[in-house]
Amino acid sequence: MTFWTPFTEEAPKISTVFSRRHKATGNLCMLATLRADGSPRISPVEPRIFEGMLVIVGMPGTTKFKDLARDPRFCLHTATVDTMVGDGDAKLFGSVTDLPDRETHARFAQNLFEESGFDIRGQEFDHFYVADITGASCVEITDEQLAITIWKPGEGERVVRK
């Protein structure tokens, strides 16, 4: 599995763009999942980097998490309103694992409270999804060219210019 920390080591460019865009949007990303009928679903989500993991959690009972429980594959895209992608954008691909460790949940809730003031301490998580990143890409404009950086585990980053 490729958790967040090894991903940042293998894909420094993409992880930097993702982190920059993630922070700029107040952690908002768009999550693509598969519905029960196989059609795609796009949903807003606020993933967090916690203890070297990319964690995808949210309100209990939402359809996006039901999708992930049925089929753990996802695509996560940094939210953007800039059609010229002046600040870049990034996509992460992978699958999630539901981590049932209540001690990790408690630390996460405490960390969330300390960083944002949002208090879910003492509440049980419906799902605590941790991402296994299996691919990623980012787009930036450099020297008036579109630079697409692509990563797969064990292959490093490569850049395609258009």
Side-chain angles (χ1 to χ4, degrees):
M1 291 185 76
T2 305
F3 290 121
W4 181 257
T5 298
F7 168 68
T8 63
E9 294 164 359
E10 290 185 33
K13 171 59 115 179
I14 299 170
S15 61
T16 297
V17 172
F18 181 90
S19 296
R20 181 177 67 232
R21 294 299 309 135
H22 184 240
K23 183 178 179 182
T25 61
N27 298 338
L28 180 65
C29 289
M30 300 308 292
L31 176 71
T33 59
L34 293 173
R35 298 171 186 256
D37 67 2
S39 62
R41 181 189 316 275
I42 303 290
S43 307
V45 69
E46 297 173 35
R48 298 184 59 82
I49 310 303
F50 176 71
E51 295 184 357
M53 301 176 290
L54 176 63
V55 178
I56 303 173
V57 295
M59 287 190 335
T62 60
T63 52
K64 61 189 159 203
F65 296 122
K66 289 177 184 175
D67 290 346
L68 290 172
R70 187 179 46 261
D71 185 329
R73 295 175 294 169
F74 72 90
C75 177
L76 190 63
H77 186 262
T78 55
T80 184
V81 294
D82 177 10
T83 58
M84 299 305 290
V85 291
D87 199 27
D89 76 7
K91 293 180 195 125
L92 306 179
F93 308 93
S95 62
V96 294
T97 300
D98 199 353
L99 183 66
D101 180 21
R102 291 180 190 249
E103 290 179 15
T104 300
H105 300 179
R107 290 192 311 274
F108 178 87
Q110 181 64 38
N111 179 264
L112 179 65
F113 178 72
E114 290 170 1
E115 288 187 2
S116 70
F118 188 67
D119 195 359
I120 57 171
R121 295 174 298 173
Q123 296 181 29
E124 285 194 35
F125 285 85
D126 191 22
H127 294 285
F128 192 92
Y129 287 123
V130 176
D132 173 13
I133 305 168
T134 60
S137 65
C138 72
V139 174
E140 294 181 296
I141 305 294
T142 57
D143 300 325
E144 298 184 27
Q145 278 190 315
L146 186 64
I148 305 163
T149 304
I150 302 164
W151 171 83
K152 290 183 181 175
E155 296 181 16
E157 293 179 319
R158 66 182 173 89
V159 179
V160 176
R161 298 191 185 280
K162 295 184 177 189

